[in-house]
Amino acid sequence: MRKLGLPDELFADCSEKLLAAWRARAIKMYPSDFRDTAEVVRITLLAALCSSRQAEITDALVDLLVALVRKINARAAGWRGS
């Protein structure tokens, strides 16, 4: 996703509701639907989808890291308590 080079502030002026609507619209579309859509709309929808997916992936990785650190800490506390 990062190789696409979308700027972090690309949708800074858009509401979360609007961005979610664009993402939902892009998810429902078939490749042929994108071909039949005006280029500016196609690019906007795909950018919204990719931007939101990148945020979701980052959030999931952070959650995974936090869970891993908690597990390591729990094992270390159990080991120290032995």
Side-chain angles (χ1 to χ4, degrees):
M1 290 287 182
R2 289 192 178 153
K3 287 194 177 200
L4 291 174
L6 297 176
D8 292 336
E9 65 282 349
L10 181 62
F11 294 107
D13 294 339
C14 295
S15 70
E16 291 291 323
K17 187 176 180 178
L18 179 60
L19 188 58
W22 286 340
R23 180 186 188 279
R25 181 176 170 191
I27 287 173
K28 294 177 187 176
M29 293 176 71
Y30 292 100
S32 60
D33 296 333
F34 283 107
R35 280 193 302 268
D36 297 337
T37 305
E39 184 178 11
V40 67
V41 174
R42 179 174 53 242
I43 291 170
T44 301
L45 294 175
L46 290 172
L49 176 61
C50 291
S51 177
S52 62
R53 281 300 296 145
Q54 181 175 333
E56 290 170 359
I57 290 167
T58 301
D59 290 347
L61 288 173
V62 168
D63 290 344
L64 183 62
L65 178 62
V66 168
L68 180 61
V69 168
R70 286 182 179 158
K71 191 171 191 175
I72 290 169
N73 285 340
R75 285 189 179 182
W79 180 76
R80 285 189 298 243
S82 303

